[in-house]
Amino acid sequence: MTDQAMEFPLVVVHHPPWNKDRITGQKAPFKLKEICGIRAWLDFEHNVRDRELLDVAIDSKMRGGDVTRLRVEDVCHGEQVTSRASVRQSKTQRPVTFEITPTTRKSVAAWIKAAADGFSGATPLARWKFENFTYAPADFLTGAVTAS
């Protein structure tokens, strides 16, 4: 037999595309009813941090990475939560000024008050807590851990 006769036939397996019958692209924004439902659920669960992040994200209309990089000094002067904040977006490097609604001011103040060790000006608003360790978003990615 020749070498060509000994070859095995090529098996071709047809897989459907991963995004077949899925909506791709930009998703529709939340409806007011959905936002109220999420807020109610977070309040019911006593999840002050996530409620604060949701409210700030809705008010600022910034990307998630920019929202988690916000610092206490960006939204507070002393112990008072400001009515406006101005930060620089990481992707476009353009400054964004947004109004902080009374609901958001209330949730930010509640989150700062709920922190056991308190927040300083340079502390990120979005802090991660696991058991007896405190993770700041930048430290969480690099693996640096500080005991609380």
Side-chain angles (χ1 to χ4, degrees):
M1 293 183 121
T2 65
D3 290 334
Q4 291 179 348
M6 296 288 289
E7 291 182 16
F8 294 102
L10 199 62
V11 178
V12 178
V13 179
H14 177 70
H15 294 287
W18 68 270
N19 59 353
K20 184 177 181 185
D21 299 328
R22 293 186 185 178
I23 299 173
T24 59
Q26 187 174 1
K27 307 296 186 258
F30 284 121
K31 298 177 183 138
L32 185 59
K33 184 178 179 181
E34 295 169 334
I35 293 171
C36 290
I38 294 169
R39 281 180 175 152
W41 179 76
L42 290 172
D43 288 342
F44 179 74
E45 293 289 323
H46 303 289
N47 198 333
V48 182
R49 176 188 161 268
D50 289 349
R51 169 66 192 264
E52 174 264 333
L53 284 174
L54 173 72
D55 289 341
V56 170
I58 290 170
D59 282 356
S60 67
K61 299 177 184 152
M62 292 192 303
R63 294 175 181 85
D66 293 329
V67 171
T68 57
R69 277 188 210 94
L70 281 175
R71 305 217 174 260
V72 173
E73 62 192 9
D74 295 332
V75 295
C76 293
H77 287 289
E79 297 196 10
Q80 186 71 27
V81 180
T82 60
S83 60
R84 288 187 171 271
S86 183
V87 293
R88 188 171 295 274
Q89 285 184 335
S90 63
K91 182 176 180 180
T92 61
Q93 298 302 316
R94 291 189 178 161
V96 175
T97 302
F98 58 95
E99 183 177 347
I100 302 174
T101 60
T103 305
T104 303
R105 280 186 285 214
K106 184 179 174 185
S107 64
V108 168
W111 171 235
I112 292 172
K113 184 179 178 184
D117 56 351
F119 285 135
S120 66
T123 306
L125 274 178
R127 296 221 341 222
W128 313 93
K129 286 203 168 216
F130 299 108
E131 296 175 24
N132 59 345
F133 294 109
T134 303
Y135 293 86
D139 295 336
F140 180 71
L141 295 175
T142 58
V145 179
T146 54
S148 59

